[in-house]
Amino acid sequence: MDDYDKTCLESALVGVCNIVQQEWGGAIPCQVVLVTDGCLGIGRGSLRHSLATHNQRSESNRFPLPFPFPSKLYIMCMANLEELQSTDSLDCLERLIDLNNGEGQIFTIDGPLCLKNVQSMFGKLIDLAYTPFHAILKCGHLTADVQVFPRPEPFVVDEEIDPIPKVINTDLEIVGFIDIADISSPPVLSRHLVLPIALNKEGDEVGTGITDDNEDENSANQIAGKIPNFCVLLHGSLKVEGMVAIVQLGPEWHGMLYSQADSKKKSNLMMSLFEPGPEPLPWLGKMAQLGPISDAKENPYGEDDNKSPFPLQPKNKRSYAQNVTVWIKPSGLQTDVQKILRNARKLPEKTQTFYKELNRLRKAALAFGFLDLLKGVADMLERECTLLPDTAHPDAAFQLTHAAQQLKLASTGTSEYAGYEHNITPLHTDFSGSSAERM
Amino acid sequence: MAESCRQHVEFDMLVKNRTQGIIPLAPISKSLWTCSVESSMEYCRIMYDIFPFKKLVNFIVSDSGAHVLNSWTQEDQNLQELMAALAAVGPPNPRADPECCSILHGLVAAVETLCKITEYQHEARTLLMENAERVGNRGRIICITNAKSDSHVRMLEDCVQETIHEHNKLAANSDHLMQIQKCELVLIHTYAVGEDSLVSDRPKKELSPVLTSEVHSVRAGRHLATKLNILVQQHFDLASTTITNIPMKEEQHANTSANYDVELLHHKDAHVDFLKSGDTHIGGSSREGSFKETITLKWCTPRTNNIELHYCTGAYRISPVDVNSRPSSCLTNFLLNGRSVLLEQPRKSGSKVISHMLSSHGGEIFLHVLSSSRSILEDPPSISEGCGGRVTDYRITDFGEFMRENRLTPFLDPRYKIDGSLEIPLERAKDQLEKHTRYWPMIISQTTIFNMQAVVPLASVIVKESLTEEDVLNCQKTIYNLVDMERKNDPLPISTVGTRGKGPKRDEQYRIMWNELETLVRAHINNSEKHQRVLECLMACRSKPPEEEERKKRGRKREDKEDKSEKAVKDYEQEKSWQDSERLKGILERGKEELAEAEIIKDSPDSPEPPNKKPLVDMDETPPVEKSKGPVSLLSLWSNRINTANSRKHQEFAGRLNSVNNRAELYQHLKEENGMETAENGKASRQ
């Protein structure tokens, strides 16, 4: 960002926009704090000018708002409300927030401009935007006070009806565990450090006596470090076992806790949030349908821990997993025909494959209404029959003739022979039983 | 819910198009019908691959009447069903009178079908009850036909508009039908290659607030297929990614390998980072010669098979553009076999960035978007630096075992509770966690029973909701076995951390063990009558002098009334870790008094006994050797001797030397320094 000798909020915002995107990408929420005296600049480049020309932008000089990343724009005005209201400054600044899809807020000074009031204004910002998120991590009766960092953002469920922002519970309740291989790199909204904390709440004496005694913070930390904490136990076991803990964040909202290694020595307890909904991960199925293995008739993980109930198999296979027939490109059709031909030349050893491929082609041709193809392949098989070498097994000729005949019947399109579910079966010959005798 | 409705018409036959070349045989060609069916099946294939649910297709064929090939139900939404239905309809009869055939029948049927309520709409309406009218009904009619002229096309559009108008009136008075709110008509005029088109293209135009229409004029054959491929991308917000540099063994020469490219379609959100940052690397137009864009990502051969969690911000189902080509099927089979492939994004700067991953889950392949920008969680403090990080004897292995027992598994069939209400498996899972953690010490030095192999048969079943007779028997056996151990005076794995010298005496050890075991069993006595029986057995077998036993029992019963078992265990847990830390650090402040109060009602193995049980307190405070009742055993004589011998080898702790009544006052200097009242720490002085 270059320095400018005049107020030009737009270029400042463009600069912020570029820096954030280069550094953090487009998915990480950022809080942009704009500190201004409330003056908007003059002439070209002034905020008034920017806003006035807002509707005449092309793609190349797009106005930086809304920011192309999740953001909150906080405008800190070094002026009090009355001063700002006397001009249209406040309106212009409010437009900025509006342009950022309403994400953000304007702060002004209460009373005269002095250090104390400015401090109090920033104090308000800190309270609003930077308060740590405290929660209680629970696993049955095992609990720990934790701080979740960064603060989980409310999630707006993108439904047709009333978008309501969802906020995560302050009780993070573990509902069970799953192997890392089974959860397999799920998509997440965000991830957060889960840091155990020692709270100085009423009735809990940890730490309080010490501060009174002017003990330094270091030894307070040391003491907290020596009190067994559930987070540390959980982290250790998750790491050793290669598992994640599924945690309930709210109604129909879940996440996972896992050990994340920063380096060889450092590792941490992390929490990732899944998208809210009854079924955030197709391969786990509906979250509410996950239950304890002890309720199952037999252990779904096997006695030797050698199998897994995950991933769930969908009812229908996808096209790439079910050998579909696509003849849009000539090569697709040619490959299928050649497969049949190849197997035809190796009859009777390849009888089963030959008929399998033949039936696949037959079905597709019927569905596509491509009856000419059936005739064509029938002709081809008859030709193949005439080209059989003398050494060929006599069964080969019988099968080829039979197959060609059946295809021709199917190509008439009459329902008797052209049933989709009908399959051409190998002709039963006297040779079929002892087909392997001759080469 | 963007349903789409498609429709087909037969008209012309015998168009010279793609030829199948087998040398001596005459080439054959596809009919317009075959081209249309193939292309629309390909449209459906891609759609079903990427949206197996919630996107529905209804297939209608029109000749002298409309043939509706499937319904909106999920069972009908797959390629096999459509293929079978198409085969049943068969190709158009070339001898039929073209005058009786009209696409109009199909268009009318399409509008009718769009008014029919789908399962999803029904579900949503039921859910919203009085707000049911907020459920939308929008659809798209794709009509592939051979039109005669521009005016013919306009006639078709008018027909659709009129039919929608009529049917919306009908639907307004019906519970089973829904009005069409938005309908998009996509008319595709297809004609034989080499002929002139009688219909001109027209971009999307609004015919009424409900209906928009666009017209495409396309040559048959692969041109039609390409058109529908572009349309499926537009209609479902798809984008294309080409994976390059896929090493594949050559068919002919198995030991050489060449690099191939495979083009995949997926939801365009998988490219969201590229679109936003503008750092796109768009490959040349696809080989089809169409104008669509594809993003190129480079294959990174997976080195290891180890499983790790990637930070993934999105996962999108894919569909290969050319599903049966050898490179495509090689790639998909590789993935379906359980391997994952990382994909590298070529950047202008030349730096390497892994931006995506291909991976299959349950036979479905997903393109995972991996976060490639800087993490905001750089250099976080290690967990060992935080609370509890200095404790070294966590029961990591035991908790691992606990986690494995509390793994989840899907229960797809609904189950019902005794009262007939639906049972939610996830609630059962929480319930089990609650039971399993009623008594669960976190560190090794806090527990005796969980360090004993002999206790396992009891500890593993007592947490269950209900016990079998066999379970009870096993628990009883475990208890008898412990009694046996005590009689033989077998050593116990009592932790000596935080205690001085050699730790408690053998019989004291057993007392601690029995107390802990009782805590565990007591936490579960409300589960069932059989749990109660285990406790009874335990109480009967505890090796205690009869009068002490009696006293204990009476004392406990009183306690049980005072605090309900579950709550007590929980409190006890916290209290215990609290006091443990106390012991570790020997903090002595005013809190101590409150602690002592809290402990009065607790049944803790190593907390001081409540003062109201005078005889016990006395016992605790007397040295353990004198405590033992009856004649002195050979073992205790011997261990006394060893103790004395050992004590000569080291200097006695100052605390023990200066102790009054075997209690030492710790941090006496604190008292001097800040004038605070230091309380006595019972535990620190206990032997």
Side-chain angles (χ1 to χ4, degrees), chain B residues 430-448:
Chain B
K430 287 187 209 168
D431 205 43
Q432 177 169 314
L433 284 174
E434 186 277 319
K435 287 199 176 71
H436 283 205
T437 54
R438 284 188 192 162
Y439 178 70
W440 215 99
M442 289 199 282
I443 57 174
I444 293 164
S445 53
Q446 258 174 6
T447 179
T448 305

Side-chain angles (χ1 to χ4, degrees), chain A residues 134-288:
Chain A
H134 286 168
I136 301 171
L137 181 63
K138 288 187 178 168
C139 176
H141 295 286
L142 299 169
T143 62
D145 290 308
V146 295
Q147 182 189 342
V148 178
F149 178 85
R151 214 187 151 77
E153 293 289 315
F155 184 81
V156 181
V157 183
D158 190 17
E159 280 289 327
E160 289 180 37
I161 300 130
D162 295 337
I164 315 159
K166 283 187 148 194
V167 187
I168 75 164
N169 288 345
T170 48
D171 272 6
L172 305 173
E173 196 178 359
I174 291 174
V175 295
F177 302 87
I178 289 180
D179 290 306
I180 283 183
D182 288 337
I183 199 104
S184 85
S185 299
V188 299
L189 294 174
S190 57
R191 52 178 195 165
H192 309 265
L193 277 173
V194 177
L195 303 163
I197 46 169
L199 281 187
N200 295 333
K201 57 184 180 198
E202 282 281 313
D204 189 340
E205 289 292 320
V206 178
T208 47
I210 296 152
T211 36
D212 288 350
D213 296 349
N214 299 326
E215 294 270 356
D216 62 78
E217 202 186 307
N218 216 11
S219 81
N221 283 345
Q222 273 175 11
I223 288 160
K226 287 177 183 168
I227 304 169
N229 191 295
F230 173 60
C231 287
V232 186
L233 172 68
L234 176 69
H235 168 266
S237 298
L238 289 175
K239 188 174 182 171
V240 171
E241 299 287 332
M243 292 172 95
V244 303
I246 300 296
V247 58
Q248 178 137 23
L249 309 169
E252 291 203 332
W253 197 3
H254 296 85
M256 62 172 178
L257 290 162
Y258 52 96
S259 161
Q260 169 93 9
D262 191 51
S263 60
K264 271 192 185 134
K265 279 182 185 163
K266 282 184 169 185
S267 72
N268 248 297
L269 189 62
M270 294 272 275
M271 178 168 75
S272 288
L273 314 188
F274 301 145
E275 197 161 309
E279 195 181 339
L281 307 174
W283 51 96
L284 296 191
K286 290 202 167 62
M287 296 307 275

Side-chain angles (χ1 to χ4, degrees), chain B residues 649-660:
Chain B
K649 292 177 188 156
H650 64 82
Q651 206 183 343
E652 186 56 273
F653 291 114
R656 201 179 299 176
L657 284 175
N658 301 335
S659 66
V660 181

Side-chain angles (χ1 to χ4, degrees), chain B residues 22 31 129 229 277 350-351 362 426 597:
Chain B
I22 294 155
S31 63
M129 300 298 284
N229 187 289
S277 63
S351 58
L426 201 65
E597 256 171 50

